[in-house]
């Protein structure tokens, strides 16, 4: 690989790492900052936190295909640099935010400019050969895993200097990376390979139409949707719940999320590769969804800090179901449609990030107020558990049905062949 391509790949890795770290840095302090700006208890602040997550997801959903298409017209370099500059400005706005409205504006800007994964993936495709493409794309997973460990841990430590310190830290990382890219990042897409911008290609709803054209994967896609919706019980509300229920500090929240990152990385990088070949996709899905369900119910019942750490183990082990479910879904689609399928599944994930936080956080907020018929802070975990359980039931029915149909289909084909031979 040439020096320019090597420097480009190094920049892409750092960009993806900072992208993931940036949000991880501010998670530990976001709950207390919202509560401070709105002058309300942290449990009530969770509904406002959900709005920040949702508006970011909406902006990313709408602008990711636009950003991707703009990079096809103007090249990857300017789009990546604008995204980093936008992120840096976003974090400065949030660091200085005098009101909740400024936080909201910052999340809108971040969502619009923060579709850097799309452009970064295109950059990797540009500079890769058939021999190193898989290795280079592996940088995305590596950056995500490392960023989710380092971000919350660093955010928790910076929080000891003040509730807004992590935002300044995130802004510095983005702006330093912008300067690095401005002076050293080469363009990966030559002018001869660029194409005009077309709005019809930038339609964010286009990828979802793929699922309507393939009813054979509709039920499996519903399982996929329910898993990611249920996971929002943890992803959208972990900081609010633990601060409210156990009086955790920002540092404790950051450490706990770093532990989540380590456990998820261990499951995805190691355990999945060991368990899946031994028990197969179907049983991996059943086992993973069962563990997810148990983990979420245990979170809801937790009464001590140590329990949250202990119950992370079964919950994170549930991650063995994800790769297996994607494998089963992809087996239903032709090889030349895999890109469309992955785009459709990514869009489904985006939808869960839009609707999941308001569902989980508003129920948490309601059942921790005097208006609720009973006090149940962990209610959102139970909603997540129901999503996982329903997904398990649907997956079992579908996969059991398909297993029965396979011998029948094979027998029909064999009978047809014998008839042809007889004639």
């Amino acid at each position: 690989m040439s020096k320019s391509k090597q420097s480009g790949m190094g920049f892409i890795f750092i960009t993806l790492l900072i992208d993931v770290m940036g949000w991880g840095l501010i998670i530990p302090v976001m709950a207390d900052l919202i509560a401070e700006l709105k002058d309300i208890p942290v449990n009530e602040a969770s509904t406002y936190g959900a709005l920040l997550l949702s508006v970011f997801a909406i902006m990313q959903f709408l602008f990711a295909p636009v950003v991707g298409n703009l990079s096809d017209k103007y090249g990857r370099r300017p789009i990546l640099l604008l995204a980093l500059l936008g992120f840096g400005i976003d974090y400065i706005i949030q660091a200085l935010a005098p009101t909740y409205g400024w936080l909201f504006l910052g999340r809108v800007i971040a969502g619009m400019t923060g579709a850097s994964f799309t452009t970064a993936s295109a950059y990797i495709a540009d500079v890769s050969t058939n021999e190193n493409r898989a290795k280079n794309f592996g940088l995305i997973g590596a950056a995500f895993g490392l960023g989710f460990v380092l971000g919350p841990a660093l955010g928790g430590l910076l929080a000891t200097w003040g509730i807004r310190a992590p935002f300044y830290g995130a802004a510095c990382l983005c702006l330093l990376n912008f300067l690095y890219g401005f002076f050293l990042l080469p363009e990966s897409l030559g002018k001869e390979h660029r194409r005009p911008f077309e709005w019809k290609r930038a339609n964010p709803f286009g990828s979802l139409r793929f699922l309507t054209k393939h009813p054979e994967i509709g039920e499996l896609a519903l399982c996929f949707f329910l898993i990611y919706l249920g996971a929002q019980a943890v992803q959208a509300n972990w900081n609010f719940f633990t601060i409210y229920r156990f009086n955790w500090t920002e540092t404790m929240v950051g450490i706990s999320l770093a532990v989540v990152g380590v456990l998820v990385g261990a499951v995805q990088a190691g355990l999945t590769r060991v368990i899946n070949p031994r028990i197969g996709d179907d049983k991996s899905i059943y086992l993973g969804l069962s563990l997810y369900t148990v983990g979420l119910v245990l979170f809801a019942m937790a009464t001590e800090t140590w329990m949250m750490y202990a119950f992370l183990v079964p919950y994170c082990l549930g991650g063995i179901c994800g790769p297996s479910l994607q494998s089963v879904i992809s087996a239903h689609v032709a090889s030349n449609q895999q890109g469309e399928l992955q785009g459709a599944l990514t869009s489904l994930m985006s939808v869960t990030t839009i609707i999941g936080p308001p569902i989980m956080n508003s129920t948490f907020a309601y059942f921790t107020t005097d208006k609720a018929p009973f006090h149940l802070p962990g209610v959102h975990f139970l909603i997540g558990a129901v999503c996982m359980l329903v997904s398990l039931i649907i997956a079992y029915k579908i996969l059991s049905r398909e297993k029965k149909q396979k011998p029948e289909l094979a027998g029909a084909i064999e009978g047809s062949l014998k008839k042809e031979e007889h004639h």
Side-chain angles (χ1 to χ4, degrees):
M1 189 184 289
S2 68
K3 284 188 177 180
S4 64
K5 287 185 177 180
Q6 282 182 332
S7 65
M9 287 303 300
F11 174 82
I12 292 300
F13 177 76
I14 293 170
T15 298
L16 294 173
L17 179 63
I18 288 174
D19 198 340
V20 178
M21 278 184 66
W23 183 237
L25 272 166
I26 64 176
I27 289 175
V29 298
M30 188 59 86
D32 284 333
L33 180 59
I34 295 170
E36 179 185 291
L37 291 175
K38 297 295 294 183
D39 194 24
I40 54 177
V42 74
N43 56 317
E44 293 178 29
S46 66
T47 55
Y48 294 96
L51 290 177
L52 296 183
L53 290 170
S54 290
V55 74
F56 178 81
I58 290 169
M59 291 298 105
Q60 275 212 318
F61 178 72
L62 294 175
F63 281 87
V66 175
V67 168
N69 278 270
L70 285 172
S71 77
D72 284 340
K73 179 178 181 180
Y74 296 107
R76 318 300 183 203
R77 185 178 186 275
I79 303 302
L80 278 169
L81 292 178
L82 281 172
L84 280 169
L85 186 61
F87 257 136
I89 293 170
D90 158 53
Y91 288 127
I92 291 172
I93 289 173
Q94 293 186 88
L96 299 171
T99 64
Y100 172 80
W102 284 94
L103 286 183
F104 192 87
L105 175 63
R107 286 288 86 192
V108 170
I109 294 171
M112 291 170 65
T113 62
S116 54
F117 269 86
T118 306
T119 312
S121 298
Y123 192 105
I124 292 172
D126 293 340
V127 302
S128 299
T129 63
N130 290 332
E131 290 74 27
N132 64 16
R133 184 169 284 108
K135 175 186 170 185
N136 287 345
F137 271 106
L139 287 175
I140 296 177
F144 189 89
L146 186 59
F148 200 76
V149 174
L150 294 178
L154 183 58
L157 290 173
L158 288 175
T160 60
W161 294 350
I163 201 170
R164 295 174 188 259
F167 292 95
Y168 288 112
C172 287
L173 285 174
C174 288
L175 295 177
L176 284 172
N177 198 31
F178 167 78
L179 290 174
Y180 166 45
F182 185 80
F183 290 108
L184 296 173
L185 179 67
E187 177 56 67
S188 65
L189 187 67
K191 291 183 178 179
E192 69 277 9
H193 298 299
R194 299 180 190 181
R195 64 170 180 82
F197 180 86
E198 297 177 46
W199 279 109
K200 65 179 180 181
R201 290 195 180 193
N203 178 8
F205 299 97
S207 58
L208 287 173
R209 291 198 192 111
F210 177 82
L211 297 175
T212 63
K213 298 175 185 175
H214 293 269
E216 70 275 12
I217 62 171
E219 291 174 306
L220 290 170
L222 176 59
C223 292
F224 185 88
F225 175 83
L226 288 170
I227 290 170
Y228 280 89
L229 181 62
Q232 288 299 321
V234 175
Q235 295 171 13
N237 199 261
W238 182 265
N239 50 346
F240 294 97
F241 175 80
T242 52
I243 290 171
Y244 172 80
R245 187 78 174 85
F246 304 109
N247 264 338
W248 281 13
T249 62
E250 292 91 350
T251 302
M252 182 70 87
V253 173
I255 292 169
S256 69
L257 290 171
V259 171
V260 172
V262 171
L263 288 173
V264 169
V267 170
Q268 296 298 330
L271 200 61
T272 300
R273 297 182 183 185
V274 175
I275 291 179
N276 184 267
R278 293 190 179 185
I279 66 175
D281 283 333
D282 291 12
K283 288 181 181 176
S284 293
I285 292 169
Y286 304 151
L287 177 60
L289 286 171
S290 299
L291 287 167
Y292 268 147
T293 305
V294 170
L296 285 164
V297 171
L298 290 173
F299 284 149
M301 297 168 61
T303 56
E304 302 285 345
T305 285
W306 68 265
M307 292 181 180
M308 295 303 287
Y309 281 94
F311 299 158
L312 278 173
V313 176
Y315 178 77
C316 290
L317 285 174
I320 64 171
C321 78
S324 296
L325 181 59
Q326 281 197 287
S327 174
V328 169
I329 294 174
S330 65
H332 287 70
V333 175
S335 58
N336 63 353
Q337 294 180 316
Q338 291 297 325
E340 280 188 275
L341 170 64
Q342 296 309 317
L345 294 179
T346 301
S347 294
L348 275 183
M349 288 168 59
S350 298
V351 172
T352 65
T353 312
I354 292 169
I355 67 172
I359 293 171
M360 302 303 177
N361 290 19
S362 60
T363 51
F364 162 72
Y366 176 72
F367 279 93
T368 53
T369 62
D370 296 334
K371 297 176 185 177
F374 48 87
H375 188 256
L376 186 60
V379 64
H380 56 293
F381 290 129
L382 296 179
I383 294 172
V386 169
C387 289
M388 299 297 181
L389 184 59
V390 172
S391 183
L392 171 60
I393 294 168
I394 294 171
Y396 181 76
K397 289 178 71 174
I398 297 165
L399 298 175
S400 298
R401 184 177 69 221
E402 289 185 354
K403 192 176 283 187
K404 289 178 183 177
Q405 288 174 345
K406 280 178 183 177
E408 292 173 7
L409 183 60
I413 292 171
E414 187 179 343
S416 177
L417 290 171
K418 283 182 179 178
K419 282 182 181 179
E420 287 180 13
E421 288 174 5
H422 180 71
H423 286 300

